Amino acid sequence: MDVLALYGLLVLTTLPPLVPNSALLVSVGVLASRGELFLPLILLIVAGSALLGDLLMYLAARRFGGPVRAWMRRKPRRRALLEWTSGRIQRYGLPFVIAVRFLPSGRIVGALASGVLRYPLRKYALGAGIAEATWATYSVGLGYLGSATTGRPLYAAAIGFGVSCAVAAVGAAIQWALRRRALRDPSEGGGEGEGGGPHNGGEDPGGRASSVAAT
């Protein structure tokens, strides 16, 4: 495949959410370790296009908060995710904006919840940028380091894909445990809307968490 076409494929598979790309990212890491691709450019493209996708989702949710909220509330699972994520963005602020990227469906729900809450754009962009840079580094780095260590591209790709699946499984387990805890402790699950400002160090993302839960 032509190098420019491969870089374009990276953009197309990382800008939109829910596109399977773990195998591709590990593979380009393997190619970079063999000198066939330029590693810094790969990381810039992957992290940059993913960040652009995050910002587009955030801006759409910020501009069309009502329709986005209504769409998220059509199904119980989406509604629970939106309310759970919104409360923690208000409570923990920037650290949770970063962390939610690594939970199942976290990239989408984190961007949408931040937009609906009108969380400050600069802070969201900073958090999403850190998260996407971290994600790009470990995703591509698995293939790069695996190939450099083993000297066998197929082994490196298999190891990288396996580690990616393990990280996703750990994220799912953490999310499940936190939601179970929130269900057992009402103050943990439903108190974010009242105290969001003080809990996140004075940030006021627009006072919208209570409207997310109430509408």
Side-chain angles (χ1 to χ4, degrees), residues 171-187:
I174 292 173
Q175 187 179 49
W176 177 83
L178 289 174
R179 291 183 66 189
R180 290 280 294 179
R181 178 183 175 186
L183 289 174
R184 288 196 304 268
D185 184 359
S187 64

Side-chain angles (χ1 to χ4, degrees), residues 30 33-34 144-156:
V30 171
S33 73
R34 298 167 61 182
Y144 185 92
L145 295 177
S147 179
T149 301
T150 65
R152 299 185 178 185
L154 289 179
Y155 285 2

